Amino acid sequence: MADPLLKLDGLTKAYPGVVANDGVSFQIMPGEVHALLGENGAGKSTLVKMIYGLVKPDAGKMSMRGATYEPATPHAARASGVAMVFQHFSLFDALNVAENVALGMENPPKPRQLARRIREVSETYGLPLDPDRLVGDLSAGERQRVEIIRCLLQDPKLLIMDEPTSVLTPQEVDILFETLRKLQSEGTSILYISHKLEEIRALCDGATILRLGKVVGTCDPKATSAREMAELMVGTALHTPSREEKAPGEVVLKMTDLSVKSANPFGTSLKNVNLTVQAGEVVGIGGVAGNGQDELLAALSGEARVADAAVTLNGQPIGALGPNARRKLGLLAAPEERLGHAAAPDMSLTENALLTGAVREGLVSNGFLKWADAKSFAETIIEKFDVRTPGPENAARSLSGGNLQKFVIGREILQRPVCLVVNQPTWGVDASAAAAIRQALLDLAENGAALVVISQDLDELMEISDRFAALNEGRLSEPRPAKGLTVDEIGLMMGGAHDMEVAHVDG
Amino acid sequence: MDLSTINPAILLASLMIASTPILLAAIGELVAEKSGVLNLGVEGMMITGAICGFIAAVETGSPTMGFLAAAVGGAVLSMTFGILTQFFLSNQVATGLALTLFGLGLSSLMGQSYVGLKPPPVGDINFGPLADIPFLGRVLFQHDAMVYVSILIVAAVWAFLKFTRAGLILRAVGESHGAAHALGYKVVAVRLAAIAFGGACAGLGGAYLSLVRVPQWTEGMTAGAGWIALAIVVFGSWKPWRVLIGAYLFGGVTVLQLNLQAAGVEVPVEYLSMSPYLITILVLVIMSSGRGRAALNAPASLGRTFHASS
C-alpha cells in the first residue's frame, strides 16, 4: 500500500471553554476523495484551518508524504501544495476575477498571462470565467468557480473543499463533481466537507465522522446508507417532521407584480413576482443564494416599501405599510442573518423579545416598556423552543447559532402570526434542532397560518412545503405542488446550470 | 472694485501653493482609507507635522530636515492611533477625533517658544529656461520642491494601487479584512503601514503650511485643512487623480476669493470665505454622483474593526 499523502495524528485544539478538536487522527491517500462529516460545531472548520495553516494545533502532529508538515501560515500550506475552497467565499467583491485569483496565489504571473491561464484552465475544467469581470457581479455558482480556479492554478496535491455545494443548483453540483473526478483521476487528493450525505455517497472513497471534536467513526460511504451516517453524526436516532394532510383555506397573502429594487449595489432586484399563499399552506421558495431572497423577505416584512396593491394580506393592501404596521395585522418575518438583522447581538434576549413582540404581545403601554411581561415572554420562548441559555438576561451574541435561531423563530411563532415569512430557518442549525424548527413551522401551518419558507436547503423544502417555487435572478417561477417534483425539475426551475458545461474529461 | 489687479498667472501659481498642504494630507488619508482605516485625526497629524517641521527647520537651518522631521512626527503620532485601533480595537471614529484634539494640544505645547520666529526660506527649484516661458513658466516652473513632490506622491500612489501586488493586497485588506486574513495576509501589519504613510503625508502637509505657505508658527494654524482633506478623499471617490482635482479646486477658489476680497468685490466677506468649502464639496458631489459606481469604489471594510477570531 502506498504512503498516505496527509496523515493527522492526535490533533488537538482548545478554545476557552470548548475543545474544538480532541485527538483527531486520520489519513488521506493520494488520489483519494475523503469526506469529513459532522454537525455544525463538530470541529470540522477548526480542523481544516489547522491543515491550511490558519490555526496552530495545541498538540498532535501532521505529516505529508512521510515528512513533518507544520504550516505556520496559509502561505506555507499553499507552498506545500494544499489549496482550499472556503465555505464563506474568501473573495473581494470590488476586485475583478483576475485580481481575486492573484491574491490567492503565491507567485502570480503577470496580469496578462494570468488572464490567459484563467481562461485556459477554466475551459479545460468546464468552468468558464471572464477574468475581467467584477466578482461582485457574479452569481454564487460563478464565485465558487473563481475559488476553484484559484486553487487549480497552483496544481494542488490536496484540495480542501468546505461545503462547496450549499450554494449550487443540482445541475451545477453534477458539473462540479465531474470536475472533482477529473482532478482525482489526475492524482489530486480532495478533502470534502459536507453534511449532504447523498453527495458524499456519490463522490467520496472514505469518510471520517466527527462529533463534538472527536472522531466517532470511519466508514466507506459507498457501502453505508445516508441514514446510518446521519445517526453517526448526530449520535441519536433522527426524528422526521410530520403532519396530517389538510386542504388549504382562504388566500391570506397575495403578491401581484411585485418589483423591488435591491438596496445592495450587488443585490438582485425582484421582477414581477406573483404568488398567493393560502391559510394552512406552506409555500417553499428555493433558489441559489443571491437571486432575490433577501429582497423578497424585505418586501414582505415591510423593510422595503412597494406599491400599496402589490402585497395584500387578507385582501387588504399593505405594500406601503412599514414593518410594525404589518406586524399588527399579523404578517411576521424572520430574516436569514441572525446577528444584526433578526436579533441585536449585544442586547439581552428579553430586549430582543421586546423588539419584535412589542406590538402583538402588548409589551408597551403609553410608550413605556412592560419589563415583567417582556421577560416572561422571553422565558416562554426559551422554554417552548428548548433554547439552551442560562436565562433571558443573556446577550443574544452569547448563544450558539442554532440556539439563537430557535429563539428568533420561536419568537415569531409564539406571536400567533396570520402569515409568517422565514428565510433560511435552519441555516447552521444541527440536525435535531433543525427537525424541531421544521416541526414547529408545520404545527403553525396546521393551526391555519400561511407560511412562506425561503431556503437553500432543497431537502428541507421538499420535506415541509405544499407548493414549491424557485427564485432565479429576481424572478419567481410558477409554483408547483411539491409532492412528486424530481431533483431535475427543481434544478431547471432554479435556472439550470447557467452557462456551465461538463468538464472535457479527455482534455 | 478693480478686477484688473488680479493677475491670472500669479493666481494660478499661488493656487498650487495653496493646494499642496491639503493635497498631501488627502493622498495620505486615501491610502489609509483604502486599507480600511478611517483616521479622522488628519487635522491633528497635520498640525503636529507643522510644529515638528518648524522646530527642526529652525534648529538645523535646513528646510529639508524640517520636512523629514514633519513626516516622522506625523507618522509617530499616527502610530498612537494605529496601536489603539489595531491592537486595542478601539473605535476608529472616536480615536481619530481624540487624535485631532491631542495633536492640537501637543503642537501648541511644543511650539510655545517658537512663536514669532522665521523659518529658513525654502528656495524654488531652478528650471532654467523653462521658468522663462511666458505665463506657463510663472504658473508651473517657479515653485519649491514640495509642490512637485506632492504631485509625484499622487502619481506614485496611483501606480502603487493600480499596478503593484502590494497595492492589490492593500486594497484587498480594505475590501474584506476577513477574506484577506483567511488567505494569509497580515491585515494589522498592512493597516499599520497605511496609517503610518497617512500620518507622514499629513505631517508633510502641515510642514508645508508652517515652512512655505505662511511661513511662521501660530497655534491652530491648520484651521480645518485636515477636515477638508478628509472630505476631498470621500467626494473624490478614493481616486488619486480626483483627489488632486479636488485639492486644486479648493486651493484655487481659496486664492480667488482672497483676491476678490482684496479687489473689493461687493459681496459680503463671509460669503467669499465660505465659497471654497461650498464649491469644492458641490463639484465633487456632482462628480461622484451616479451612486452605484461611487459606492463600489468605497472600501467595503472602511472603519470596521478587525479581530482575527480564529
Side-chain angles (χ1 to χ4, degrees):
Chain A
M1 200 170 163
D3 281 339
L5 175 76
L6 180 72
K7 190 167 183 236
L8 310 183
D9 192 8
L11 279 188
T12 300
K13 175 76 195 177
Y15 290 115
V18 55
V19 180
N21 284 136
D22 187 359
V24 175
S25 307
F26 66 89
Q27 56 188 35
I28 303 167
M29 306 304 288
E32 180 190 352
V33 181
H34 193 95
L36 191 57
L37 278 169
E39 295 277 87
N40 290 295
K44 294 170 300 185
S45 293
T46 308
L47 188 66
V48 294
K49 278 183 184 166
M50 288 195 277
I51 300 174
Y52 195 58
L54 276 168
V55 174
K56 242 183 143 63
D58 297 336
K61 289 200 297 270
M62 290 185 272
S63 58
M64 186 173 274
R65 295 175 195 269
T68 311
Y69 171 66
E70 283 174 338
T73 62
H75 300 288
R78 288 199 286 264
S80 314
V82 177
M84 178 155 166
V85 175
F86 290 85
Q87 176 185 9
H88 303 292
F89 300 118
S90 60
L91 295 180
F92 305 93
D93 281 352
L95 306 183
N96 68 29
V97 170
E99 287 173 326
N100 268 284
V101 170
L103 280 166
M105 294 179 73
E106 281 318 293
N107 296 302
K110 291 249 156 49
R112 198 166 307 156
Q113 277 171 304
L114 181 63
R116 214 184 55 230
R117 289 267 291 139
I118 291 172
R119 282 213 178 82
E120 278 170 19
V121 173
S122 63
E123 294 288 315
T124 317
Y125 288 93
L127 310 163
L129 263 183
D130 178 357
D132 296 324
R133 283 184 66 192
L134 270 191
V135 164
D137 297 334
L138 301 182
S139 73
E142 288 172 313
R143 295 164 140 247
Q144 190 182 41
R145 281 181 230 168
V146 179
E147 292 245 13
I148 296 174
I149 297 290
R150 174 153 83 185
C151 292
L152 295 183
L153 279 173
Q154 308 184 70
D155 297 321
K157 297 189 197 71
L158 173 65
L159 181 62
I160 304 172
M161 304 198 82
D162 194 352
E163 308 227 352
T165 57
S166 53
V167 295
L168 302 184
T169 66
Q171 278 82 354
E172 287 175 325
V173 170
D174 286 344
I175 289 162
L176 174 68
F177 280 14
E178 283 301 318
T179 307
L180 295 182
R181 290 201 186 94
K182 178 168 159 60
L183 279 172
Q184 184 187 13
S185 69
E186 289 167 357
T188 310
S189 305
I190 296 166
L191 180 59
Y192 190 88
I193 299 168
S194 180
H195 52 231
K196 294 194 178 167
L197 302 163
E198 290 301 336
E199 285 177 5
I200 284 171
R201 295 193 63 214
L203 184 73
C204 302
D205 308 313
T208 300
I209 296 153
L210 288 179
R211 190 193 322 144
L212 300 176
K214 289 198 180 104
V215 175
V216 292
T218 55
C219 63
D220 177 358
K222 297 212 156 65
T224 316
S225 79
R227 192 169 184 93
E228 282 173 86
M229 285 194 279
E231 293 184 353
L232 269 173
M233 271 162 61
V234 184
T236 56
L238 273 177
H239 162 79
T240 315
S242 62
R243 69 155 161 165
E244 286 163 28
E245 291 277 331
K246 212 169 126 185
E250 308 258 296
V251 170
V252 173
L253 181 71
K254 185 166 187 197
M255 288 169 250
T256 318
D257 284 336
L258 173 67
S259 298
V260 180
K261 197 161 162 36
S262 178
N264 175 345
F266 293 118
T268 310
S269 300
L270 290 182
K271 296 163 198 110
N272 297 327
V273 169
N274 286 294
L275 183 69
T276 55
V277 190
Q278 288 155 286
E281 182 189 41
V282 181
V283 174
I285 296 184
V288 174
N291 271 299
Q293 284 90 340
D294 294 341
E295 289 73 15
L296 180 61
L297 186 113
L300 291 179
S301 74
E303 286 169 69
R305 309 287 169 86
V306 291
D308 212 14
V311 183
T312 60
L313 187 73
N314 286 329
Q316 181 183 352
I318 57 165
L321 298 181
N324 273 329
R326 294 192 193 191
R327 285 186 171 278
K328 204 163 188 174
L329 295 171
L331 173 58
L332 307 188
E336 169 183 6
E337 178 62 40
R338 290 183 281 260
L339 288 172
H341 198 175
D346 291 315
M347 292 175 92
S348 74
L349 294 180
T350 307
E351 287 166 319
N352 271 298
L354 232 167
L355 284 175
T356 78
V359 181
R360 280 184 83 76
E361 293 296 305
L363 303 177
V364 176
S365 74
N366 301 325
F368 287 93
L369 307 177
K370 294 193 202 163
W371 281 112
D373 292 1
K375 183 156 181 265
S376 71
F377 178 49
E379 277 164 349
T380 316
I381 303 169
I382 291 170
E383 190 201 316
K384 287 234 169 110
F385 284 84
D386 187 29
V387 180
R388 314 264 164 85
T389 173
E393 65 283 353
N394 282 278
R397 189 190 288 286
S398 68
L399 270 65
S400 75
N403 271 316
L404 186 57
Q405 187 70 28
K406 285 193 270 186
F407 184 85
V408 296
I409 298 274
R411 179 179 67 182
E412 306 307 324
I413 289 179
L414 286 183
Q415 292 177 45
R416 305 170 310 277
V418 175
C419 177
L420 178 65
V421 185
V422 289
N423 190 3
Q424 297 273 64
T426 60
W427 182 73
V429 176
D430 65 54
S432 45
I437 290 175
R438 287 174 201 154
Q439 185 66 59
L441 292 174
L442 288 178
D443 292 346
L444 188 67
E446 185 92 342
N447 292 328
L451 261 69
V452 178
V453 179
I454 307 169
S455 176
Q456 265 126 64
D457 186 341
L458 291 178
D459 298 333
E460 167 172 280
L461 290 176
M462 289 305 105
E463 197 173 297
I464 64 173
S465 337
D466 298 306
R467 286 189 299 150
F468 175 86
L471 271 172
N472 181 23
E473 295 181 356
R475 293 194 176 79
L476 190 71
S477 72
E478 190 66 28
R480 297 171 60 174
K483 219 170 225 172
L485 270 187
T486 66
V487 171
D488 273 345
E489 287 170 319
I490 295 171
L492 289 174
M493 289 169 82
M494 286 164 66
H498 296 287
D499 54 340
M500 287 170 92
E501 46 184 306
V502 176
H504 311 303
V505 179
D506 50 8
Chain B
M1 185 169 90
D2 183 12
L3 288 181
S4 61
T5 55
I6 301 175
N7 176 341
I10 293 178
L11 186 78
L12 287 173
S14 47
L15 169 163
M16 294 185 77
I17 309 274
S19 311
T20 299
I22 298 159
L23 177 61
L24 282 164
I27 198 72
E29 178 67 10
L30 180 140
V31 171
E33 292 195 9
K34 267 289 176 192
S35 81
V37 180
L38 180 65
N39 185 353
L40 294 184
V42 181
E43 179 87 1
M45 300 186 301
M46 272 185 96
I47 193 117
T48 306
I51 188 60
C52 287
F54 191 83
I55 294 174
V58 167
E59 298 300 331
T60 62
S62 148
T64 314
M65 287 309 292
F67 280 112
L68 279 178
V72 172
V76 167
L77 187 70
S78 74
M79 277 301 98
T80 56
F81 173 86
I83 289 165
L84 284 170
T85 55
Q86 302 304 306
F87 293 113
F88 298 111
L89 309 181
S90 69
N91 178 296
Q92 294 182 4
V93 170
T95 314
L97 291 173
L99 191 74
T100 287
L101 297 175
F102 176 66
L104 287 169
L106 180 72
S107 61
S108 59
L109 176 71
M110 287 167 74
Q112 269 175 348
S113 52
Y114 290 90
V115 179
L117 295 185
K118 268 206 96 55
V122 179
D124 290 349
I125 290 193
N126 186 2
F127 283 96
L130 280 180
D132 298 331
I133 304 172
F135 193 75
L136 274 186
R138 178 69 196 95
V139 174
L140 292 176
F141 301 111
Q142 290 184 31
H143 295 299
D144 57 278
M146 281 312 287
V147 170
Y148 307 108
V149 167
S150 69
I151 296 169
L152 284 179
I153 290 178
V154 173
V157 164
W158 169 75
F160 170 79
L161 289 175
K162 195 169 166 74
F163 298 116
T164 69
R165 181 161 171 81
L168 177 61
I169 292 171
L170 184 125
R171 282 188 288 144
V173 165
E175 189 55 38
S176 165
H177 46 218
H181 174 72
L183 289 173
Y185 295 108
K186 297 193 168 56
V187 174
V188 170
V190 169
R191 289 194 169 162
L192 281 178
I195 294 169
F197 179 79
C201 283
L204 285 179
Y208 193 82
L209 276 175
S210 65
L211 294 179
V212 182
R213 178 101 203 275
V214 178
Q216 61 172 330
W217 167 250
T218 35
E219 273 182 34
M221 67 185 300
T222 45
W227 296 110
I228 271 293
L230 271 165
I232 285 174
V233 174
V234 175
F235 292 121
S237 325
W238 293 269
K239 291 186 174 132
W241 295 115
R242 283 201 188 183
V243 163
L244 181 109
I245 294 173
Y248 275 25
L249 185 70
F250 180 80
V253 182
T254 307
V255 172
L256 182 66
Q257 64 95 2
L258 284 175
N259 277 297
L260 289 176
Q261 280 188 33
V265 175
E266 284 170 48
V267 178
V269 174
E270 290 80 3
Y271 288 108
L272 287 173
S273 306
M274 75 169 83
S275 60
Y277 301 90
L278 270 178
I279 292 174
T280 307
I281 303 264
L282 249 166
V283 169
L284 289 170
V285 164
I286 293 165
M287 272 167 66
S288 61
S289 62
R291 203 186 67 84
R293 286 190 55 85
L296 273 186
N297 209 38
S301 290
L302 183 62
R304 295 224 312 263
T305 301
F306 170 73
H307 176 60
S309 55
S310 49

